Amino acid sequence: MLHIKIDVENSVDKSNCIKDVEKQFEKIVITGTEAERQAIELVENGKYLDSYSYIDRFGYKLPITELSTGCKTILCVLNTPNQWIDTIESGINAVSVLIYM
Amino acid sequence: MIKIDKYLVKIEIDLSNGIYKFDGNSSTGKTRLYKELKKLRSFGENVLAYSYFDEQFGIKLEDLLKDNPNCQVLLIDRYDMMYGKYKKLLLDYSKHNIVIVDCKKSTTFTGHDGMCSINMTPDKITVLEM
């Protein structure tokens, strides 16, 4: 279940909130679950290929690290249970995908 | 208008001097533009790009701007992670340069910041005023 908190400054223990999504993303391994594939398709218009690469909207194979920070935020949420993830760097489109997935 | 079209990826930035924020979407090409501008800088082009990554590496934005008072464009990527720092610095710099900021929070620099959109294809990145 997705838990959402608004106004993080006052409501979440900062020590338990991941703010740097780019750093956190380097610590997880995505395995191609349905939700992960959906995130890449909906945010990037791309396709999951494997744990280290994806196909971008132009059909090019790119390293998974080239995903947008917004997409990485979703993938971090999916793969880092029991920790708050700050969506500060996520665009409106990525946050919408996260909520409606 | 800034047009750099002699390299593999062409860059077109149709903005005037001032400070602009990108529209608030993910996966539009902002970080790609940051990386391309960094590369162009290394090729001798008069452009600047700065990100939270650079800040973490210890590169000081103040020094970068002081050493390059006039450039065609300055792009700030991941500004949300800088939590409002450098506002005055960027405002002052934008008086004589184009400054584009990736900032998804409702941070405002002037109260009426410009907005811009970015479009990318495999061989071209275009930034237009909204």
Side-chain angles (χ1 to χ4, degrees):
Chain A
M1 179 189 290
L2 182 68
H3 295 266
I4 299 171
K5 277 204 188 259
I6 298 170
D7 190 13
V8 171
E9 290 299 318
N10 297 321
S11 59
V12 170
D13 175 10
K14 288 178 192 173
S15 65
N16 196 31
C17 179
I18 293 166
K19 290 187 175 290
D20 192 342
V21 164
E22 290 284 344
K23 181 179 171 184
Q24 180 62 22
F25 186 75
E26 297 281 345
K27 298 179 185 177
I28 66 171
V29 177
I30 64 172
T31 55
T33 63
E34 187 56 41
E36 289 168 349
R37 288 171 187 265
Q38 213 176 11
I40 294 172
E41 277 172 32
L42 293 174
V43 179
E44 306 285 339
N45 290 322
K47 280 192 168 54
Y48 168 86
L49 201 55
D50 56 40
S51 297
Y52 303 100
S53 63
Y54 73 107
I55 304 293
D56 80 350
R57 70 197 62 190
F58 304 118
Y60 296 109
K61 180 180 172 182
L62 295 179
I64 208 82
T65 48
E66 292 293 308
L67 291 170
S68 67
T69 310
C71 189
K72 287 175 182 173
T73 301
I74 299 172
L75 296 170
C76 284
V77 168
L78 293 170
N79 287 279
T80 319
N82 306 317
Q83 280 198 276
W84 295 99
I85 308 284
D86 196 342
T87 60
I88 192 172
E89 292 194 89
S90 299
I92 298 163
N93 56 334
V95 173
S96 298
V97 168
L98 178 61
I99 292 172
Y100 290 106
M101 272 177 71
Chain B
M1 159 81 88
I2 296 164
K3 205 169 178 178
I4 304 174
D5 58 5
K6 54 188 178 188
Y7 304 102
L8 189 64
V9 179
K10 286 127 188 72
I11 307 284
E12 252 184 50
I13 297 177
D14 193 1
L15 301 171
S16 310
N17 287 348
I19 194 157
Y20 300 84
K21 293 193 293 192
F22 284 116
D23 66 35
N25 282 318
S26 287
S27 186
T28 53
K30 300 181 291 297
T31 300
R32 185 177 176 219
L33 178 59
Y34 159 78
K35 289 176 183 175
E36 286 298 325
L37 290 178
K38 282 282 240 198
K39 193 164 55 179
L40 293 181
R41 176 88 195 156
S42 74
F43 295 163
E45 298 292 338
N46 189 19
V47 295
L48 286 177
Y50 186 81
S51 169
Y52 178 62
F53 291 120
D54 296 307
E55 190 182 67
Q56 289 176 300
F57 276 131
I59 298 170
K60 294 191 178 190
L61 181 62
E62 306 93 316
D63 294 342
L64 191 66
L65 300 191
K66 191 176 157 196
D67 293 341
N68 299 279
N70 297 298
C71 70
Q72 291 183 288
V73 62
L74 164 67
L75 171 67
I76 305 289
D77 194 32
R78 303 190 70 196
Y79 181 74
D80 292 301
M81 292 299 289
M82 302 179 199
Y83 294 94
K85 283 198 287 195
Y86 315 120
K87 257 194 185 178
K88 185 177 183 313
L89 190 67
L90 293 174
L91 266 172
D92 288 343
Y93 200 76
S94 73
K95 286 175 186 162
H96 304 288
N97 302 280
I98 296 170
V99 177
I100 310 173
V101 184
D102 164 32
C103 172
K104 297 178 191 72
K105 277 176 75 171
S106 57
T107 301
T108 178
F109 292 89
T110 66
H112 47 271
D113 307 329
M115 296 294 294
C116 62
S117 64
I118 180 171
N119 292 296
M120 67 166 171
T121 63
D123 66 344
K124 192 174 181 181
I125 302 175
T126 308
V127 179
L128 299 170
E129 187 166 6
M130 287 173 72

